[in-house]
Amino acid sequence: MQDMDISSPAAFVNGGLLRMHVGRKVRTVLQVTRSDIGSVMGRSTDGCQLVAKGSPPVPLTSYVEVIGVAENENTIRAELWTNFGDTFDASNYDKLCQLANGELKHLFL
Amino acid sequence: MANSVSQDAISTILANPSPDSSSDLPDIIVQVLDLKLTGNRYTFNASDGKMKLRAIFPSNMSSDIMTGSVQNKGLVKILDYTLNDIPNKSEKYLIVTKCEVVSSALETEIKTGEPDIVLKKPKLEHEVKNEANTDLAGIVLKPKQEMVSKSAAQIVHEQRENMAPLARMAMTRRVHPLVSLNPYQGNWTIKVRLTSKGNMRTYKNARGEGCVFNVELTDEDGTQIQATMFNEAARKFYEKFQLGKVYYISRGTLKVANKQFKTVKNDYEMTLNDNSVVEEASDEEAFIPETKFNFVPIDQLGPYVNGRELVDIIGVVQSVTAVSNIKRKIDNENIPKRDMIVADETKKTVVVSLWNELANNVGQELFDLADKSPIVAIKSLKVSDFQGVSLSTLGKSTVMINPDVSEAKKLRSWYDSEGKGSSMANIGMGLSPSRSGARSMYTDRISLSDITSNQSLGDEKPAFFSIKAFVSLIRPEQAMWYCGCKTCNKKVTEAIGSGYWCEGCQKNDEECNLRYIMVSKISDTRGEAWVSAFNEEAEKIVGCSAGELDKLKSELGDIDGYQQKLKEATWIPHLFRVSVTQNEYNNEKRQRITVRAVAPIDFAEESRYLLEDIKKMRGSH
């Protein structure tokens, strides 16, 4: 297994922002749409379909946070999975992603 | 045995201030009114149905009165008396030296209405000529002759048309300006116009049921005062008080006004009870003052939510529902209600609930007119957080349809030109409906340092705010609770023997409820402060009732359950609704913060709030 890059903090991303961090550590929350062995498909907080590769927790709740390295603009190689339960405010998280990548980037990275 | 007063008994007495046993006076039977104990003697107003005279019974009769042989509204025959002058006044004072009871309390005060022909000066001229009337004149010659000995004030009074039964008050109608009234001087009469009349409200509290209504009185100088009447007095005066009419009022009591509920500018407020006197001033025209509005645009209603300040609005009616009946939880009474949606130029709409009479009367009118989109102006609405923001009428609310005010005309032209077609959002929208308590936690949100750094907050009326904070310290050694009455929650004292005595309910109970009265320290990102919390709120902070905590306190064991429980209550975030007031302590003014409501953090809601806040801050860059 490849070593995870732990030297820098994970950037908060949604579907649209993932492409800006390809090859780097990212974190995001997905609403699980499909769960297979070795990967999970989910909807990002801005409505894109993303893939998280790895071993999800069992059982898996509706919302899950994944932290890992961005492989490409719609895939994350997840190292860390956290169940976020069945209710989650996607819009709040999405706004957070925008702030964290925009004007307030310097507070996060 | 007579069952009524002697005709002109008072005139007879006035005409004969010091009768001797040889005087040939007719029977003097009067009705005893306003009987009350003054010192160790009983005073009353002697009435013959037309006039009244202040009087006093001899002290040897006090026991008869106490045992009930002489009763208020009863009849007595005055056998011997002296009439005295009251120094510095034009009034006379009857000192009864001997009398006998004629009748026990009658149903009502006797009033013989129209003044006697004889006493009206103008008609006297006719009497002299008319044969038939000479007889009358003959009988009453005595008092007529003695008119000369009457005081000037009395003659003036007798000349007045429509003599009111309250003759004495009419004679001494020294009207006091409202501004001169105070709780320490009870001997006043005011002349005021009824400028606002509330609806009769019924209430039920731990001690029973009652009814109450209040009115606003305005005198010639423009000073206003609120007057409240309960139960007997409320029933007595409700019909009598009519909007716009002028009244002479006396025998009310004054007390310092409760600033929280003040509706008029006056340091005092008045209570009228069963003994108060209210008489319509027949010489004044009724004048219903023009309603003065202070309109709040719908999009500015936010800050008023759950506050005590009432608002006025004006808008275009979008829709009106049919009447529905709501069951009031407190007493299971059915109350009619009607809702309507009103819009204004801010392009926001709001729901207005019309209650009671308003739902039925003006509500029906609005319902029928709804598709014509009439303009409606409403005064004195309560702003609540139901569905974000909504308005409700109260007893004192007034509704005007298509009023003749300039704002109405502006609204009409706006609506007809652009308003009609535009899409409008409800003012409550955008704020997600959530559990009650949490909703209002977003209005007036400030930080603790904002409160502690402003020591003049809440000096007139309590100021309300929302805070998000952590409880940082609850001192275990404080007296955290009191023994409360199971019925009315007031503090009870230990009864002689066993159990507890409640002074308010006037009864003993074997048990009492422990109720919190707790002081704790709260902290947020900017500061910290000490706050007081009462039972319901403290329970939410501690996580158990005072009774349960008391049990923990008295439990023995290795672990101090009591201290543990208090520790566990700290560093939990809460949303608090607090009130800030000023307390005077050793001549110093101190800020006092009281927790009025506690709600858990709804993280999604809170995040939304913070994001909005960030947006506002970024916007200002």
Side-chain angles (χ1 to χ4, degrees):
Chain A
M1 202 159 71
Q2 244 180 307
D3 278 354
M4 198 163 81
D5 174 10
I6 54 163
S7 56
S8 56
F12 280 92
V13 297
N14 56 20
L17 294 163
L18 186 57
R19 71 202 59 195
M20 290 170 39
H21 298 276
V22 174
R24 291 200 292 269
K25 202 144 75 98
V26 294
R27 70 197 297 167
T28 193
V29 172
L30 298 175
Q31 185 177 25
V32 179
T33 51
R34 207 168 104 178
S35 163
D36 290 322
I37 306 198
S39 74
V40 159
M41 273 193 76
R43 184 165 44 247
S44 69
T45 55
D46 58 343
C48 304
Q49 282 295 328
L50 300 181
V51 175
K53 285 176 163 176
S55 334
V58 173
L60 191 59
T61 59
S62 308
Y63 291 91
V64 64
E65 186 201 40
V66 295
I67 303 181
V69 177
E71 273 194 355
N72 56 45
E73 58 190 45
N74 52 30
T75 315
I76 300 173
R77 201 169 63 242
E79 296 294 339
L80 210 53
W81 300 77
T82 314
N83 271 332
F84 261 30
D86 296 319
T87 51
F88 185 75
D89 194 310
S91 129
N92 283 344
Y93 189 88
D94 206 67
K95 289 205 185 77
L96 166 65
C97 292
Q98 290 165 27
L99 286 172
N101 283 276
E103 256 186 54
L104 303 176
K105 196 151 107 175
H106 58 282
L107 294 179
F108 288 84
L109 298 172
Chain B
M1 174 118 115
N3 57 3
S4 189
V5 295
S6 312
Q7 198 181 45
D8 301 321
I10 302 298
S11 309
T12 308
I13 295 174
L14 290 168
N16 299 281
S18 310
D20 51 61
S21 46
S22 62
S23 8
D24 188 16
L25 288 176
D27 278 349
I28 300 176
I29 300 176
V30 294
Q31 186 176 30
V32 172
L33 296 173
D34 307 311
L35 181 64
K36 66 170 185 265
L37 185 62
T38 309
N40 64 351
R41 291 168 73 172
Y42 281 87
T43 59
F44 65 106
N45 279 323
S47 162
D48 66 355
K50 271 186 272 173
M51 289 166 70
K52 280 189 194 168
L53 193 53
R54 264 174 88 173
I56 188 165
F57 282 118
S59 44
N60 57 26
M61 278 194 70
S62 295
S63 50
D64 285 327
I65 298 167
M66 274 197 278
T67 57
S69 6
V70 176
Q71 295 176 353
N72 192 41
K73 292 195 193 148
L75 301 174
V76 295
K77 182 154 118 178
I78 300 179
L79 301 169
D80 203 6
Y81 65 89
T82 312
L83 193 64
N84 273 3
D85 282 304
I86 298 179
N88 301 324
K89 289 193 184 174
S90 58
E91 267 185 77
K92 300 279 180 185
Y93 201 93
L94 175 69
I95 301 177
V96 178
T97 41
K98 202 162 149 211
C99 73
E100 64 186 25
V101 179
V102 165
S103 159
S104 56
L106 300 182
E107 281 272 299
T108 53
E109 196 182 306
I110 296 175
K111 289 185 189 165
T112 54
E114 283 305 307
D116 203 350
I117 303 168
V118 176
L119 291 175
K120 262 196 211 168
K121 253 201 177 166
K123 286 211 180 166
L124 287 171
E125 276 85 56
H126 303 304
E127 248 95 86
V128 177
K129 296 175 193 157
N130 195 312
E131 264 246 336
N133 282 349
T134 318
D135 282 347
L136 264 172
I139 295 167
V140 295
L141 246 173
K142 232 181 175 179
K144 225 195 329 179
Q145 278 176 348
E146 256 123 294
M147 256 177 163
V148 180
S149 67
K150 287 184 185 161
S151 67
Q154 266 177 269
I155 295 172
V156 166
H157 152 73
E158 281 155 13
Q159 280 184 325
R160 274 199 211 169
E161 292 282 9
N162 201 20
M163 253 169 39
L166 295 144
R168 189 184 61 80
M169 192 161 87
M171 283 192 277
T172 60
R173 205 156 270 175
R174 207 161 297 149
V175 169
H176 294 71
L178 267 180
V179 76
S180 72
L181 259 45
N182 65 66
Y184 315 106
Q185 219 276 58
N187 211 6
W188 44 260
T189 300
I190 53 174
K191 183 176 177 183
V192 286
R193 192 182 300 279
L194 199 85
T195 46
S196 175
K197 180 176 172 182
N199 288 331
M200 183 79 90
R201 287 174 287 127
T202 52
Y203 62 88
K204 237 189 224 171
N205 59 22
R207 299 203 208 113
E209 300 187 343
C211 60
V212 58
F213 83 103
N214 39 38
V215 296
E216 274 173 23
L217 308 169
T218 311
D219 76 353
E220 254 179 354
D221 303 329
T223 321
Q224 295 191 304
I225 193 166
Q226 179 177 287
T228 307
M229 284 137 281
F230 288 91
N231 303 314
E232 273 308 302
R235 280 186 275 270
K236 183 170 169 186
F237 295 125
Y238 190 73
E239 289 308 316
K240 194 158 193 183
F241 272 136
Q242 286 171 44
L243 189 61
K245 286 199 173 162
V246 179
Y247 300 89
Y248 289 104
I249 301 178
S250 58
R251 304 233 186 101
T253 45
L254 286 169
K255 62 176 196 221
V256 175
N258 185 333
K259 290 218 169 78
Q260 286 184 355
F261 298 105
K262 241 187 347 180
T263 47
V264 297
K265 248 184 110 90
N266 197 315
D267 290 335
Y268 298 117
E269 60 183 50
M270 191 185 295
T271 306
L272 299 179
N273 59 36
D274 215 18
N275 289 326
S276 304
V277 181
V278 171
E279 191 209 331
E280 201 179 308
S282 49
D283 50 338
E284 297 286 343
E285 291 240 332
F287 168 70
I288 298 169
E290 210 180 83
T291 327
K292 278 208 178 70
F293 288 104
N294 198 356
F295 297 121
V296 174
I298 295 179
D299 72 346
Q300 288 180 29
L301 286 172
Y304 294 91
V305 170
N306 288 336
R308 287 207 210 273
E309 204 179 323
L310 303 176
V311 300
D312 304 340
I313 62 153
I314 187 167
V316 184
V317 176
Q318 304 286 88
S319 62
V320 184
T321 66
V323 174
S324 56
N325 271 305
I326 309 286
K327 216 178 194 142
R328 195 160 60 183
K329 280 187 219 153
I330 315 172
D331 56 4
N332 268 337
E333 247 195 72
N334 269 328
I335 310 206
K337 169 170 110 106
R338 201 190 286 263
D339 285 337
M340 65 175 174
I341 299 185
V342 173
D344 72 359
E345 286 138 313
T346 63
K347 294 217 184 118
K348 286 273 190 266
T349 64
V350 67
V351 177
V352 179
S353 299
L354 304 168
W355 294 89
N356 290 304
E357 294 159 29
L358 291 172
N360 288 326
N361 307 337
V362 76
Q364 185 64 47
E365 254 189 87
L366 285 163
F367 183 75
D368 298 332
L369 281 172
D371 35 323
K372 297 213 180 66
S373 306
I375 309 284
V376 68
I378 316 174
K379 185 159 181 72
S380 307
L381 286 162
K382 191 168 82 137
V383 188
S384 77
D385 63 2
F386 183 65
Q387 293 187 339
V389 179
S390 57
L391 303 171
S392 271
T393 59
L394 302 168
K396 65 194 304 234
S397 306
T398 45
V399 178
M400 291 174 84
I401 307 180
N402 291 322
D404 193 12
V405 294
S406 56
E407 284 93 340
K409 295 191 185 72
K410 271 200 287 183
L411 261 176
R412 182 90 265 155
S413 55
W414 162 77
Y415 192 70
D416 290 340
S417 54
E418 58 161 294
K420 222 171 5 191
S422 60
S423 65
M424 295 188 270
N426 183 290
I427 180 75
M429 291 299 186
L431 308 155
S432 71
S434 54
R435 284 139 254 129
S436 67
R439 179 74 299 276
S440 63
M441 297 300 187
Y442 295 94
T443 49
D444 315 307
R445 176 75 80 88
I446 58 173
S447 66
L448 283 171
S449 59
D450 292 330
I451 297 181
T452 54
S453 63
N454 187 352
Q455 288 295 314
S456 66
L457 277 176
D459 62 349
E460 263 258 313
K461 290 203 278 215
F464 284 80
F465 303 104
S466 305
I467 303 267
K468 177 191 154 202
F470 294 80
V471 172
S472 49
L473 177 62
I474 304 175
R475 285 222 187 95
E477 329 82 54
Q478 66 178 291
M480 218 179 276
W481 50 70
Y482 68 94
C483 282
C485 167
K486 284 173 104 164
T487 315
C488 72
N489 287 333
K490 288 211 155 49
K491 187 167 174 184
V492 295
T493 50
E494 274 175 22
I496 309 160
S498 73
Y500 303 93
W501 167 257
C502 176
E503 193 61 45
C505 296
Q506 292 282 308
K507 71 175 191 342
N508 248 13
D509 202 322
E510 275 309 301
E511 295 168 356
C512 69
N513 279 341
L514 291 180
R515 291 178 67 80
Y516 282 119
I517 171 81
M518 184 176 88
V519 167
S520 58
K521 198 173 191 192
I522 62 173
S523 306
D524 71 0
T525 56
R526 299 268 190 81
E528 56 184 17
W530 289 95
V531 303
S532 308
F534 293 104
N535 200 53
E536 282 70 32
E537 292 70 46
E539 269 189 21
K540 288 191 189 151
I541 293 173
V542 176
C544 71
S545 72
E548 287 162 345
L549 195 58
D550 183 42
K551 276 208 192 84
L552 275 175
K553 198 171 183 183
S554 43
E555 259 171 26
L556 298 164
D558 288 332
I559 304 164
D560 186 337
Y562 170 72
Q563 299 240 14
Q564 188 64 19
K565 191 83 183 167
L566 291 180
K567 238 191 192 163
E568 282 167 9
T570 55
W571 304 114
I572 296 179
H574 294 285
L575 289 177
F576 295 107
R577 186 87 184 140
V578 298
S579 69
V580 184
T581 53
Q582 297 274 310
N583 262 7
E584 208 159 305
Y585 202 71
N586 289 344
N587 272 334
E588 253 181 50
K589 284 226 165 154
R590 294 242 235 113
Q591 195 176 64
R592 186 190 156 100
I593 307 172
T594 310
V595 175
R596 299 288 174 177
V598 180
I601 312 263
D602 173 341
F603 289 97
E605 193 66 52
E606 190 67 20
S607 302
R608 251 186 294 265
Y609 170 77
L610 290 170
L611 283 164
E612 256 315 299
D613 224 14
I614 293 172
K615 194 159 136 192
K616 278 190 209 143
M617 285 190 244
R618 289 171 71 199
S620 61
H621 276 201

